[in-house]
Amino acid sequence: MIALNAVKVWASHAPMWQRATLALTLGALTVLGFAPYGLFWLPWLTLAALLCLWQQATTPAHAFKLGLAFGLGLYGFGIYWIYISLHTFGGMPWWFAGFATLCLCVFMALFPALAGYLAKRLGQLLWGAPLLWALSDWVRSWIFTGFPWLTLGYSQAPDSPLAGFFPVMGVYGVSVMVMLMAACMLALATTQQRLRPMGILALLLIGGSLLTQVPWTKPVGKPVSVALLQGNISQTIKWSPEHAEQTLRQYVDMVQQANAQLIVLPETALPVLLEQLAPVYLDALKQHAQKHQGDLLVGVVESKHGEYFNSAISLGASATQSYSKSHLVPFGEFIPLKSVFGWIYRDWLHMPLSDLSRGTSKKPLLIAGQKVGVNICYEDVFGEEIAQQLPQAELLVNISNDAWYGQSFAADQHMQFSQVRAIETGRMVLRSTNTGATAIIDKNGQVLQHAAHDQAVILTGDAQSYRGQTPYVWWGNWAFLVLSVGGLLWIRFKR
């Protein structure tokens, strides 16, 4: 509290470049609130300091600049690993990869900048900024197909008292509450009013803690034994024809060592088209799953009518089924405005599977006696899309390959997003990845088992299916949107 008062006094006369430097530093520190660091309380403080800077800004334009600086610190430190995927594994020249990463960070930083600008114009910073920031996070989740990485709410999973609000309001609703925590702390430090901010803080902390005790979903049936395979295939050789046979042998050997009813392999684990696999190879996988009266789920690219899909195929005791990824990564799995940006792939970027088609099915797969909602790679960053398979799906499975980002903390951040999906839906989540983070996550977002990164591992355990529907699954992001827009209108008309 003393520090916030000091920031207020200092910011009242400090030059703009010094305030922007502090905002940049605060943004970088906020990354420590997310995985793998998990200091969920830290964003409450860094955002309180940012709100203090916005308070002392003389114009909305100054608030915009401070928000931009904060965003550059947050995303510049938080998603620096984009450079690794573009340069180290994508073959893009270092200077172009750096420029492209910077452009993405600047674009993302525009959202907190606009939140600060609009909140300052609204004239009710401590109430308007939380709603505007969360709405900007939501817009970032769908504009240009969306990239909602480092949405504020994710920092609260799974141990924060605010995590209890995930099943009710979703991640964007929790973003509002993170900013409200910051606003209340600032009010306590810099104003004479104590009762209202203390009451809101108590409501958020106690209410969230009580909500964690609500059994939104109930277990159904007996637990099923699972084996999650992490092949640790280096991204530099993953798509090399010379190493394809070795990868195929490694995975069939790992499958035969896995004695579980549900065996899950990572995204595109088999580095050839499904149609190119020898029938005897697929039969070996299928027979092993049948021997344990279960099924195997494997990531592979399949071809249909001249189109290519990033898919998950089931083999075993149940009928063969497939799920194809529907939310593709722009510039990674499809080329937006190919006539405009196609030259980037022709001259600078060399990524496999850069022109895939979207899948359309959102139905759970009936495998290993379970109704499994499958999602691939960063599809699990979009909670409203995961909810489309519920309440039918009773267990969630994510297959991914975060080897694109080297030994950065991208994989840990990605696993934290899966933890939020577990809390929002009241379902266990199984994650099978190429190099990490392979994990078994319970319905409360707690990691029950976690494989060591960058090692070939067979992670075994049990998974329990759950039936029921959380409020978030029922109303999605609509509750958050109605309350946020309604709150902004109330602030505007009250003023």
Side-chain angles (χ1 to χ4, degrees):
M1 299 301 180
I2 297 174
L4 290 175
N5 254 320
V7 170
K8 179 181 179 180
V9 174
W10 172 82
S12 64
H13 58 78
M16 185 64 195
W17 71 268
Q18 290 183 358
R19 285 180 282 160
T21 301
L22 176 59
L24 183 80
T25 304
L26 291 170
L29 287 173
T30 303
V31 177
L32 301 180
F34 296 86
Y37 309 102
L39 305 178
F40 65 82
W41 48 267
L42 187 58
W44 306 348
L45 302 177
T46 56
L47 289 163
L50 175 64
L51 288 171
C52 187
L53 291 176
W54 278 347
Q55 259 189 349
Q56 300 305 308
T58 54
T59 66
H62 286 172
F64 179 92
K65 292 175 184 177
L66 293 169
L68 185 69
F70 184 95
L72 287 174
L74 174 63
Y75 302 118
F77 178 37
I79 63 166
Y80 77 93
W81 37 263
I82 294 291
Y83 173 85
I84 298 173
S85 66
L86 295 177
H87 173 62
T88 305
F89 300 116
M92 185 179 281
W94 67 268
W95 60 270
F96 196 13
F99 175 73
T101 304
L102 176 62
C103 287
L104 176 61
C105 292
V106 171
F107 171 73
M108 295 176 69
L110 290 174
F111 291 90
L114 286 170
Y117 176 86
L118 294 173
K120 193 70 176 179
R121 287 204 55 146
L122 195 61
Q124 285 286 347
L125 189 70
L126 297 186
W127 289 105
L131 299 175
L132 288 164
W133 189 301
L135 283 170
S136 76
D137 274 347
W138 172 74
V139 171
R140 190 160 53 85
S141 76
W142 55 261
I143 192 171
F144 304 130
T145 77
F147 189 61
W149 217 268
L150 297 185
T151 293
L152 281 183
Y154 285 120
S155 65
Q156 303 305 294
D159 297 321
S160 166
L162 301 184
F165 291 101
F166 282 120
V168 181
M169 298 298 293
V171 69
Y172 303 111
V174 176
S175 288
V176 174
M177 294 166 194
V178 172
M179 286 292 286
L180 275 177
M181 292 288 293
C184 290
M185 288 182 172
L186 179 60
L188 285 172
T190 61
T191 69
Q192 297 301 315
Q193 295 183 356
R194 296 285 189 272
L195 189 58
R196 180 181 293 180
M198 288 184 66
I200 295 173
L201 282 174
L203 181 65
L204 291 174
L205 296 175
I206 297 174
S209 298
L210 292 175
L211 284 172
T212 61
Q213 307 304 312
V214 177
W216 299 109
T217 56
K218 297 180 180 180
V220 55
K222 296 180 179 180
V224 60
S225 59
V226 299
L228 311 178
L229 275 54
Q230 180 175 289
N232 193 38
I233 308 299
S234 172
Q235 196 63 33
T236 57
I237 65 171
K238 179 174 173 61
W239 296 104
S240 169
E242 295 79 12
H243 294 87
E245 188 64 32
Q246 176 184 339
T247 300
L248 293 174
R249 283 200 305 271
Q250 176 180 335
Y251 271 117
V252 77
D253 289 343
M254 293 180 74
V255 166
Q256 291 174 349
Q257 295 174 49
N259 301 318
Q261 295 167 273
L262 178 59
I263 303 171
V264 186
L265 280 69
E267 175 189 18
T268 59
L270 308 183
V272 295
L273 292 176
L274 178 64
E275 293 72 20
Q276 295 174 336
L277 288 168
V280 65
Y281 184 87
L282 294 174
D283 285 342
L285 298 178
K286 184 175 183 177
Q287 289 173 12
H288 180 81
Q290 288 176 333
K291 184 170 67 175
H292 296 281
Q293 299 179 335
D295 290 284
L296 174 146
L297 189 67
V298 56
V300 66
V301 178
E302 60 176 338
S303 173
K304 299 177 184 177
H305 311 295
E307 295 182 302
Y308 297 93
F309 297 87
N310 185 353
S311 298
I313 308 296
S314 73
L315 300 167
S318 306
T320 298
Q321 302 156 73
S322 71
Y323 168 84
S324 296
K325 187 177 182 182
S326 61
H327 201 130
L328 303 178
V329 182
F331 298 105
E333 293 174 315
F334 79 99
I335 306 172
L337 300 174
K338 190 183 299 186
S339 60
V340 177
F341 297 112
W343 63 272
I344 296 177
Y345 286 83
R346 185 177 63 251
D347 300 331
W348 300 107
L349 189 59
H350 307 287
M351 284 188 175
L353 310 178
S354 59
D355 199 10
L356 295 172
S357 298
R358 292 179 173 84
T360 56
S361 175
K362 288 290 185 180
K363 295 181 179 180
L365 305 186
L366 301 177
I367 53 178
Q370 315 296 311
K371 297 178 181 178
V372 179
V374 179
N375 54 86
I376 299 177
C377 195
Y378 95 140
E379 282 188 315
D380 68 343
V381 186
F382 303 91
E384 66 278 14
E385 296 183 11
I386 299 299
Q388 290 176 15
Q389 297 192 54
L390 276 79
Q392 291 79 15
E394 298 168 348
L395 176 67
L396 298 178
V397 171
N398 174 264
I399 62 173
S400 191
N401 176 27
D402 288 331
W404 283 105
Y405 312 114
Q407 295 180 334
S408 67
F409 45 57
D412 295 291
Q413 292 174 343
H414 194 177
M415 182 172 71
Q416 188 175 38
F417 305 156
S418 294
Q419 291 173 271
V420 171
R421 299 290 87 83
I423 306 172
E424 284 178 345
T425 61
R427 302 293 194 274
M428 287 191 70
V429 175
L430 308 178
R431 304 191 80 245
S432 178
T433 69
N434 180 19
T435 57
T438 297
I440 299 174
I441 303 169
D442 74 8
K443 71 180 183 70
N444 299 314
Q446 297 292 337
V447 177
L448 302 180
Q449 291 174 262
H450 184 191
H453 291 214
D454 304 305
Q455 296 181 24
V457 178
I458 301 174
L459 186 67
T460 59
D462 293 324
Q464 174 67 60
S465 289
Y466 287 86
R467 189 172 292 166
Q469 193 169 1
T470 65
Y472 177 75
V473 169
W474 188 75
W475 55 46
N477 291 324
W478 281 107
F480 152 73
L481 290 171
V482 169
L483 291 175
S484 296
V485 174
L488 289 173
L489 291 174
W490 177 78
I491 293 171
R492 181 69 180 88
F493 286 123
K494 182 181 179 182
R495 183 189 174 196

